[in-house]
Amino acid sequence: MEEMKWVIQVNDDLKKMVDTSTETEQWKRRSIYKVPACVADLNTKAYIPQAVSFGPYHHGKKHLNQMEEHKHRALLHFLKRCRKPIDLFFNSLAQVVQELKDSYEPLDPMWKDDTPRFLQLMILDGCFMLEILRTATSILDDYAPNDPIFSNHGKLYLMPYIRRDMLMLENQLPILVLDHLVHVENNEAKDKEFVNKLILQFCSPNTRISKMGKCLHVLDVHRKSLLGENPRPKTRPRKWAGVSCTGVNHANGDELIRSATELYEAGIRFKKSASESLEDISFTGGVLRLPVIVVDDATESMFLNLIAFERFHVGAGNEITSYIFFMDNIIDSAKDVALLHSSRIIQNAIGSDKAVAKLFNSLSKDIALDPESSLRVVQKRVSGYCKKPWNQWRANLIHTYFRNPWAILSLIAAIFLFAITIAQTIYTIYPYYHESPPSSPYHDFLPPSPVVSSKHNPPHH
């Protein structure tokens, strides 16, 4: 009987099956994902918000409920300031509610089937996020000066944690929510880049990008800011270069490059790139140029979520993943971090160089370099440079004799002894070739040398 129900269900689904173009549109809408256990288990805390929830995935979690009161207060301030009834915002979002629901993969039936509750969540979280973003440029003056969130105190002590939570893949709101709220608030007077600029000022205040185009959510905006204003064009459709949940790495070991210390021993020097884009990595004339990166307490969580987004969102690209893969190749130990720090490429804000090395090594678990990535070309150039005979000899010499201070002293002593030996040999044989020949014993019996006549010295008679 159960088998018959399943057969009937499959036949019904087959009749309702949409064409490929419709499926394509449905997949394109999805941009916020649940991180599966095979990925999250590597670092569970990196994907779970600790201060505030945005969207349905973590709403109602016990450790986040304290922030719900602040969300409601922010909503009231938002409505009072713009002098618009909440009905206008509700109706505006209701027009795109299906598109908002389709952004989440998966979406629990409790949200999928209860549209009013879903819209209430979008408005409440969206207004709170807008109020948070606006604190990046100024303190909102309609809040109490001792407000725990929207004050100088909150900006100093709570905003870093909120910023970290806003960059988690499972904790996103579709940017469409923020766009509609801003348009209703300002009678559609704001330009299309207004929300992008708000997010940019909050998450990356030192980044200057004039136009970002259509973005999906806060994490997507931040990703584009890390790649710069003019990302490199993709010449061919991307082939997925990730891993399966079994952790199989598809990287080609022959194309891996050595650590920064070994590259330095082979004669390669490190310099800062002209821009801060994570794509701006190049190698010419024995110089490897890398963008400056600040490593702090939020770096690990941020990169793990960016990598997860690239992994699950088809068409997002693989630039961040490729960058992490490349950095893991050249960072094996604290010595590599110290070398890059001395070249002003890594700014260490978490303490020891060993901790930074461990961070990059952990980020690269179960990832591989995209076959279409421009960094593969850089890797090949660096590897080719290191394989040249002179560079190999130089690297082997430094690695063998200049890694250990005792080896250096032994080499110096050997050279000194060799020089002394040569000097002693020269001193011994030099007199043999430059002394006057000894006098003959028959010298007294030899006739005198004939006197040569000259017109200037005529002979005497």
Side-chain angles (χ1 to χ4, degrees):
M1 190 66 180
E2 290 295 328
E3 291 81 358
M4 289 303 298
K5 288 182 178 180
W6 179 74
V7 170
I8 293 172
Q9 180 66 44
V10 170
N11 286 329
D12 289 343
D13 292 342
L14 187 60
K15 293 177 182 178
K16 298 175 184 176
M17 190 174 178
V18 296
D19 57 22
T20 306
S21 60
T22 305
E23 281 188 344
T24 302
E25 282 301 313
Q26 289 178 346
W27 287 117
K28 284 173 65 175
R29 290 181 179 181
R30 297 182 178 182
S31 60
I32 304 169
Y33 306 87
K34 273 275 193 180
V35 179
C38 61
V39 176
D41 286 348
L42 296 174
N43 190 336
T44 308
K45 292 183 65 176
Y47 306 99
I48 299 177
Q50 300 299 312
V52 60
S53 68
F54 291 104
Y57 288 157
H58 295 278
H59 179 79
K61 295 286 180 67
K62 186 176 180 180
H63 71 285
L64 302 173
N65 281 339
Q66 183 180 355
M67 196 62 71
E68 295 304 309
E69 176 188 346
H70 300 300
K71 288 182 182 180
H72 185 71
R73 188 177 72 260
L75 172 64
L76 297 179
H77 277 265
F78 177 86
L79 293 173
K80 184 178 180 180
R81 194 185 314 117
C82 72
R83 298 178 181 178
K84 301 285 177 60
I86 193 171
D87 310 65
L88 292 179
F89 298 96
F90 193 92
N91 294 334
S92 177
L93 288 176
Q95 297 174 11
V96 292
V97 65
Q98 191 56 50
E99 187 173 347
L100 297 178
K101 289 180 179 180
D102 291 343
S103 298
Y104 292 92
E105 171 57 30
L107 185 62
D108 193 279
M110 65 179 289
W111 299 107
K112 186 181 294 185
D113 301 334
D114 193 344
T115 297
R117 186 183 180 189
F118 179 80
L119 288 174
Q120 175 185 330
L121 177 69
M122 293 292 104
I123 293 173
L124 192 65
D125 286 2
C127 289
F128 182 72
M129 182 176 285
L130 280 175
E131 297 289 272
I132 291 293
L133 294 175
R134 283 165 172 161
T135 62
T137 53
S138 62
I139 297 297
L140 301 176
D141 57 7
D142 56 323
Y143 287 92
N146 58 346
D147 189 283
I149 306 294
F150 303 100
S151 64
N152 283 317
H153 178 87
K155 190 173 183 179
L156 179 63
Y157 290 102
L158 286 177
M159 289 306 170
Y161 299 99
I162 294 176
R163 183 185 294 110
R164 181 194 59 194
D165 288 352
M166 285 174 64
L167 294 175
M168 292 183 178
L169 179 58
E170 294 185 359
N171 209 35
Q172 298 298 306
L173 286 178
I175 210 165
L176 185 62
V177 173
L178 305 182
D179 284 335
H180 274 257
L181 293 177
V182 169
H183 286 169
V184 173
E185 177 192 21
N186 298 279
N187 297 317
E188 300 186 3
K190 296 292 183 181
D191 65 82
K192 294 181 179 180
E193 292 287 335
F194 177 76
V195 174
N196 291 344
K197 291 175 182 178
L198 275 182
I199 296 171
L200 196 63
Q201 289 170 349
F202 183 75
C203 296
S204 309
N206 296 322
T207 304
R208 297 289 177 265
I209 297 180
S210 59
K211 187 176 181 181
M212 304 193 73
K214 183 179 180 181
C215 296
L216 301 171
H217 39 62
V218 173
L219 186 64
D220 187 33
V221 173
H222 186 60
R223 177 181 175 275
K224 289 181 178 179
S225 74
L226 293 175
L227 298 179
E229 192 164 3
N230 298 306
R232 294 174 183 175
K234 302 176 181 64
T235 55
R236 299 197 299 269
R238 286 187 175 272
K239 298 177 182 178
W240 185 66
V243 296
S244 65
C245 288
T246 58
V248 179
N249 195 319
H250 302 288
N252 185 349
D254 294 336
E255 296 179 356
L256 300 181
I257 60 176
R258 305 175 189 178
S259 68
T261 305
E262 292 175 311
L263 295 179
Y264 186 81
E265 291 171 355
I268 292 176
R269 295 297 175 262
F270 299 90
K271 291 186 178 181
K272 295 190 298 182
S273 300
S275 73
E276 295 182 354
S277 168
L278 297 188
E279 282 193 292
D280 193 4
I281 298 178
S282 60
F283 179 74
T284 51
V287 177
L288 180 59
R289 296 186 181 275
L290 299 165
V292 176
I293 177 173
V294 179
V295 181
D296 56 27
D297 293 333
T299 300
E300 182 177 23
S301 173
M302 177 194 71
F303 275 123
L304 285 175
N305 282 277
L306 287 168
I307 291 170
F309 174 62
E310 291 186 343
R311 174 178 290 184
F312 300 120
H313 189 70
V314 178
N318 198 256
E319 290 82 6
I320 301 295
T321 305
S322 297
Y323 168 79
I324 293 298
F325 184 84
F326 186 89
M327 292 299 289
D328 174 53
N329 280 343
I330 65 175
I331 296 177
D332 284 341
S333 66
K335 290 183 179 179
D336 302 314
V337 176
L339 177 59
L340 295 176
H341 175 72
S342 65
S343 301
R344 297 185 296 171
I345 292 169
I346 289 182
Q347 296 181 12
N348 185 357
I350 64 173
S352 68
D353 292 336
K354 184 177 180 181
V356 176
K358 185 178 179 181
L359 185 149
F360 276 101
N361 297 155
S362 66
L363 287 174
S364 63
K365 288 181 180 178
D366 296 344
I367 66 173
L369 185 62
D370 184 354
E372 304 299 325
S373 172
S374 59
L375 292 184
R376 190 172 291 279
V377 177
V378 176
Q379 281 194 351
K380 289 181 179 180
R381 288 177 179 173
V382 172
S383 298
Y385 184 91
C386 293
K387 290 176 182 177
K388 292 181 179 179
W390 163 253
N391 295 322
Q392 282 186 329
W393 179 84
R394 172 195 173 100
N396 290 333
L397 178 68
I398 295 175
H399 186 81
T400 305
Y401 294 106
F402 293 99
R403 280 289 187 91
N404 190 314
W406 295 109
I408 296 174
L409 292 175
S410 299
L411 179 63
I412 294 174
I415 294 174
F416 182 70
L417 291 174
F418 184 68
I420 291 178
T421 303
I422 292 177
Q424 186 177 11
T425 303
I426 294 174
Y427 182 79
T428 303
I429 65 175
Y430 182 84
Y432 178 79
Y433 289 100
H434 291 80
E435 278 186 354
S436 299
S439 300
S440 171
Y442 304 102
H443 181 269
D444 294 337
F445 299 97
L446 293 175
S449 298
V451 178
V452 181
S453 60
S454 172
K455 63 180 179 179
H456 299 291
N457 298 300
H460 297 281
H461 296 285

